[in-house]
Amino acid sequence: MTYSALAAAPPDTAPATATHCPYCALQCAMSLRPTPRERLPVAVAGRDFPTNRGGLCRKGWTAAELLATPDRLTSPLLRGDDGELRTVSWEDALDHVAARIAALRAESGPDAIGVFGGGGLTNEKAYQLGKFARIALRTSRIDYNGRFCMSSAAAAANRAFGIDRGLPFPLTDLDTAETILLLGSNVGDTMPPFVSHLQGARARGGLVVVDPRRSTTAALTADGAGLHLQPVPGADLPLLLGLIHVVIAERLYDEEYVGRRTTGFAALRRSVAAWWPERAAQATGVPADTIRSLSRRLATSGSTYILTGRGVEQHADGTDTATAAINLALLLGLPGTPGNGYGTLTGQGNGQGGREHGQKSDQLPGYRRIDDPAARAHVAAVWGVDPELIPGPGVPAVQLLRSCGRQGGIRALLVHGSNVVVSSPHVQSVRDALGRLDLLVVSDFVLSETARMADVVLPVLQWAEEEGTMTNLDGRVLRRRRAVPPPAGARSELWIMAELARRLDAPGTWDVEPSRVFDELARASAGGPADYSGLSHELLDAGEVAHWPYPADGESTPRMFAHRFAHPDGRARLVAVRAATRESPRGAQLSLITGRLLEHYQSGAQTRRVPELTEASAELVAQLHPATARDRGLRDGDRVRIENGRGSLEARVGVSGNIRPDTVFLPFHFPDDQSVNLLTDDRLDPVSSMPEFKHAVVDLTRVDRARA
Ligand SMILES: Nc1nc2c(c(=O)[nH]1)N[C@H]1C(S)=C(S)[C@@H](COP(=O)(O)OP(=O)(O)OC[C@H]3O[C@@H](n4cnc5c(=O)[nH]c(N)nc54)[C@H](O)[C@@H]3O)O[C@H]1N2
Ligand SMILES: Nc1nc2c(c(=O)[nH]1)N[C@H]1C(S)=C(S)[C@@H](COP(=O)(O)OP(=O)(O)OC[C@H]3O[C@@H](n4cnc5c(=O)[nH]c(N)nc54)[C@H](O)[C@@H]3O)O[C@H]1N2
Ligand code: SF4
Ligand SMILES: [Mo]
């Protein structure tokens, strides 16, 4: 696409637009300066802001490429009888979608229509999508990709604290920490400017990273900056139980805090009684002495933070593992104590706000529960409908996708902001399920792998073309601003929802103006756990620093839990959890762990379209230890087949001493037959419904060059 639309746009001297990066939850501040005579419509510069301090990572620097991507969608597409996707008018596309939805709903009931949202959507779009599902489609079947991301961390925080805000303190509080325990997070690659907040702890020798790989972040512990623990994949829970055992056995815990601010200590103590360090060492591969000395360091350091990332959360026992991390933090008296804390690092751009406003199957705006009669009455009044009209809880993401095309399941699916045929667990089953649908409608700005399967593709706006708000990793609400006009032919999702709602004779009002949708969201959230009722675009534009809860009669809440937790009795819950046995490799098998590379974002739908990033990382590479490679006669660059009972793929070998010999690492950014999710399991965490993304057992064999 040429950016001819910009010919009529601002001259070189036009002011830059202050906004935030399109990608991750750090939401680095950037300014976009119009460059009408250049190939790209804007020039990106870092902007000073507490999370990034002017810095950006390589993805942020190159984000303007997304605005000029040659295969940008600029017209709706409809699949014809011959199976080809063809350009159609908006009228025809929307008429078709509404008519098909109405017909399928008449035949099979409203729960035959499903909605799949995303944590990259603005608060306004996420809110409207939840409302659209409940009262325009009248379906309970809505969930979103945050189920694959933060659900275990969120479930653990809700259970322990009664509320879930990723970081319940400003990120900059970390700057003065003495000790930071970072479990399963690789911010060095996933949020590079975050590293500046680790420097204080590094200078004091107190950065402790737990990762089966010597990741970019683990390498930051070198030269006396801290400690890297390299456990067996999936063994974080026994490791934490061992640490808790020592903290209790050596009476290192904060008795006064535990007595005054928590419940459940006796049961917790019993549950870890048998996890003496030698047993934890056997289960994890981390030496018993290290477990002892780390417990002591955490307890005696003056300023301690415990943080978790996806490496410990994306497991079928992810909620219990995150819970164990919280138990450790509570025993040490960290949450709510100045200079100390516990938190989890939200991932997607609006991963925090995206899980507060009603995209989740069991949720209404303001982080309310959909089965709570008072919450239903409040939200129904804002929506101008009878509470009876709002459906009950639906089903979480994996069940929702599995039910597509099955008897009694979903027949039409609307996808907004996720590339599920790359990023879902056991992805072949999801591809099969989507193939069985009567109607798949994908809203995206590029033809993602999921959009390629759709019956109808609706081209939407992207970051620098739209107004809205995002809530970043420390719960701060930020303004996303429009810097360039969208291409003719693309439409906002608020408009698409309004048009479909009208065609479906939906009750309620369907605003298309983001600031007005925000005002409605604010009213709907009033009195809920995630209360935005004191906020507006106007206030944010005036420069207000706004961490939620921000009630109408209150102010920003940068730090939570100073005096009470959100449970009715004000106390946090210590929850006793048990380590389960898990599948481990036998013989020549390896543990597969999955995660991210610096250069790519998620399913890669966006970053694989940025030339500089694709050149830096063009194909799937399997990180393998030199000893493992040698044993199998493999060299750097060789091709291998990696397989298990669920699937099989080929990758190139990247030999690296940074991984355990019993483990292979693959990123999930590549599509089709390079998708690592061909190998992952959709076994679910019983509390959060998080799938087992981070660990699978695989066979790895060399691909015979003669036949390859
Ligand atoms: N470059 C880039 N940045 C991103 C994203 C991206 O796709 N690309 N995505 C954003 C999103 S949505 C998210 S959720 C965040 C995720 O951010 P992170 O949580 O930092 O990312 P991951 O790479 O998924 O996992 C972190 C680490 O977990 C380790 N790991 C794997 N298995 C285990 C285990 O069993 N135990 C332990 N302790 N560690 C394990 C991996 O080796 C990896 O180094 O990143 C955000 N930022
Ligand atoms: N094996 C393995 N699998 C994983 C993970 C892992 O660590 N390992 N991580 C999981 C995690 S943490 C996450 S968050 C998921 C993410 O995986 P996905 O949900 O697939 O995330 P994205 O690739 O960001 O997909 C977003 C899609 O929406 C489009 N898009 C972006 N913004 C908008 C918008 O505003 N509106 C609309 N309609 N579309 C938009 C993009 O172009 C893209 O096609 O993957 C999960 N899958
Ligand atoms: S760290 Fe995240 S928000 Fe910052 S520039 Fe990189 S991708 Fe964008
Ligand atoms: Mo994520």
Side-chain angles (χ1 to χ4, degrees):
M1 186 194 61
T2 60
Y3 237 88
S4 53
L6 275 173
D12 282 354
T13 50
T17 303
T19 190
H20 296 266
C21 177
Y23 300 116
C24 85
L26 199 59
Q27 282 296 287
C28 295
M30 45 172 66
S31 60
L32 304 180
R33 186 174 51 80
T35 49
R37 268 169 284 284
E38 319 244 320
R39 183 177 64 85
L40 300 178
V42 292
V44 173
R47 190 160 60 85
D48 193 39
F49 191 71
T51 64
N52 65 311
R53 299 187 168 125
L56 298 174
C57 79
R58 201 169 182 184
K59 297 186 298 306
W61 284 119
T62 53
E65 292 281 352
L66 293 174
L67 301 167
T69 188
D71 62 349
R72 176 70 189 274
L73 295 172
T74 56
S75 166
L77 304 173
L78 178 67
R79 195 173 297 281
D81 294 336
D82 58 358
E84 296 297 314
L85 280 172
R86 276 205 193 78
T87 300
V88 287
S89 71
W90 273 101
E91 278 303 298
D92 288 351
L94 294 170
D95 285 349
H96 178 85
V97 171
R100 293 291 286 134
I101 286 175
L104 292 166
R105 195 165 64 175
E107 248 175 60
S108 305
D111 276 353
I113 317 299
V115 178
F116 201 93
L121 303 179
T122 58
N123 288 317
E124 292 79 357
K125 292 192 281 186
Y127 164 79
Q128 199 80 328
L129 195 63
K131 172 179 168 181
F132 177 77
R134 271 52 171 253
I135 67 170
L137 301 174
R138 298 201 316 278
T139 182
S140 71
R141 296 303 196 253
I142 175 170
D143 211 55
Y144 79 125
N145 69 1
R147 188 68 71 173
F148 297 157
C149 182
M150 297 296 299
S151 60
S152 289
N158 278 319
R159 190 158 79 173
F161 306 130
I163 199 163
D164 150 45
R165 195 181 94 187
L167 290 183
F169 50 82
L171 181 58
T172 43
D173 281 6
L174 294 181
D175 296 349
T176 51
E178 228 175 282
T179 307
I180 298 177
L181 173 60
L182 201 53
L183 294 141
S185 160
N186 181 19
V187 286
D189 285 334
T190 55
M191 302 186 177
F194 188 113
V195 170
S196 79
H197 303 283
L198 302 174
Q199 303 301 23
R202 290 182 70 209
R204 297 175 184 87
L207 176 64
V208 185
V209 177
V210 181
D211 195 312
R213 294 189 304 150
R214 190 161 181 82
S215 63
T216 302
T217 314
L220 295 172
T221 63
D223 303 324
L227 187 65
H228 173 209
L229 273 47
Q230 207 168 358
V232 185
D236 303 279
L237 184 46
L239 175 67
L240 285 159
L241 296 177
L243 292 166
I244 295 172
H245 173 97
V246 176
V247 164
I248 294 179
E250 299 190 6
R251 296 190 81 89
L252 296 167
Y253 59 98
D254 184 336
E255 278 183 64
E256 191 274 330
Y257 179 103
V258 168
R260 186 169 51 86
R261 302 211 56 186
T262 71
T263 63
F265 179 70
L268 177 68
R269 180 168 53 193
R270 279 195 302 278
S271 73
V272 296
W275 279 99
W276 51 91
E278 281 69 21
R279 180 174 169 210
Q282 206 169 22
T284 62
V286 175
D289 283 349
T290 307
I291 295 175
R292 283 200 180 85
S293 60
L294 176 57
S295 304
R296 292 172 197 147
R297 162 117 202 178
L298 292 169
T300 54
S301 124
S303 168
T304 306
Y305 289 84
I306 298 179
L307 304 174
T308 64
R310 300 307 85 77
V312 295
E313 299 161 8
Q314 288 176 320
H315 293 279
D317 62 358
T319 305
D320 282 353
T321 304
T323 297
I326 295 175
N327 287 339
L328 177 61
L330 286 168
L331 286 174
L332 299 173
L334 311 182
T337 303
N340 297 273
Y342 164 83
T344 169
L345 304 177
T346 297
Q348 299 183 83
N350 197 26
Q352 182 66 53
R355 67 181 189 264
E356 298 165 358
H357 306 304
Q359 292 187 84
K360 233 174 158 175
S361 62
D362 55 357
Q363 194 195 56
L364 288 175
Y367 221 134
R368 291 182 149 95
R369 292 185 59 99
I370 203 166
D371 57 6
D372 169 4
R376 296 171 65 85
H378 173 85
V379 173
V382 175
W383 288 351
V385 299
D386 191 304
E388 290 293 305
L389 199 81
I390 301 177
V395 296
V398 168
Q399 287 99 312
L400 188 153
L401 294 171
R402 264 187 211 152
S403 80
C404 287
R406 292 224 180 276
Q407 186 69 32
I410 286 170
R411 298 185 62 188
L413 183 70
L414 276 60
V415 179
H416 288 258
S418 182
N419 193 5
V420 288
V421 304
V422 178
S423 49
S424 306
H426 193 357
V427 78
Q428 190 54 50
S429 68
V430 173
R431 294 174 188 173
D432 294 344
L434 263 48
R436 290 192 301 261
L437 286 167
D438 291 278
L439 177 69
L440 175 62
V441 183
V442 176
S443 292
D444 208 312
F445 39 81
V446 290
L447 200 64
S448 70
E449 286 70 24
T450 306
R452 264 200 248 143
M453 286 187 71
D455 301 294
V456 183
V457 180
L458 302 177
V460 299
L461 310 188
Q462 54 172 317
W463 63 295
E465 299 161 354
E466 65 178 7
E467 299 283 339
T469 60
M470 309 282 278
T471 306
N472 78 347
L473 82 173
D474 58 11
R476 180 166 170 184
V477 189
L478 310 169
R479 280 280 278 116
R480 166 180 279 196
R481 293 192 181 87
R482 172 168 153 156
V484 298
R491 294 285 183 277
S492 92
E493 282 161 284
L494 296 178
W495 180 83
I496 292 171
M497 286 185 255
E499 288 293 311
L500 288 175
R502 184 168 61 77
R503 284 171 172 78
L504 292 164
D505 292 323
T509 52
W510 299 89
D511 232 308
V512 299
E513 180 55 49
S515 67
R516 285 204 300 268
V517 174
F518 187 92
D519 293 342
E520 187 185 310
L521 173 166
R523 287 199 304 282
S525 77
D531 190 331
Y532 284 46
S533 61
L535 285 171
S536 63
H537 281 207
E538 210 181 355
L539 193 72
L540 295 168
D541 285 339
E544 180 69 4
V545 177
H547 298 262
W548 71 258
Y550 197 124
D553 55 358
E555 54 185 21
S556 172
T557 312
R559 294 179 187 80
M560 304 170 97
F561 313 144
H563 306 294
R564 61 189 320 277
F565 294 98
H567 288 300
D569 63 1
R571 288 167 177 248
R573 306 274 179 274
L574 293 162
V575 181
V577 293
R578 268 166 238 300
T581 49
R582 54 170 50 241
E583 191 189 8
S584 44
R586 290 178 195 195
Q589 289 178 323
L590 295 172
S591 275
L592 165 68
I593 61 175
T594 74
R596 290 160 168 81
L597 305 176
L598 170 64
E599 294 81 7
H600 284 296
Y601 191 66
Q602 317 275 59
S603 70
Q606 296 172 81
T607 47
R608 283 184 277 111
R609 289 178 162 81
V610 176
E612 181 185 321
L613 301 176
T614 321
E615 275 158 35
S617 166
E619 61 169 344
L620 185 67
V621 174
Q623 194 181 12
L624 210 59
H625 192 272
T628 315
R630 199 174 49 238
D631 287 352
R632 292 162 201 240
L634 291 165
R635 276 194 241 135
D636 206 62
D638 280 353
R639 291 195 68 75
V640 285
R641 173 156 299 285
I642 305 176
E643 58 197 327
N644 61 20
R646 288 175 292 276
S648 163
L649 53 76
E650 276 187 31
R652 212 167 277 291
V653 170
V655 175
S656 161
N658 291 335
I659 192 156
R660 297 173 53 98
D662 55 5
T663 301
V664 52
F665 173 83
L666 290 172
F668 78 104
H669 309 301
F670 298 93
D672 307 323
D673 56 3
Q674 294 202 321
S675 173
V676 67
N677 283 317
L678 291 164
L679 303 170
T680 54
D681 196 349
D682 58 2
R683 201 159 49 88
L684 298 180
D685 181 292
V687 184
S688 65
S689 299
M690 168 70 81
E692 180 64 57
F693 273 128
K694 278 290 188 275
H695 185 240
V697 171
V698 294
D699 292 301
L700 183 144
T701 48
R702 176 190 179 129
V703 174
D704 188 337
R705 282 194 201 86
R707 279 191 291 135

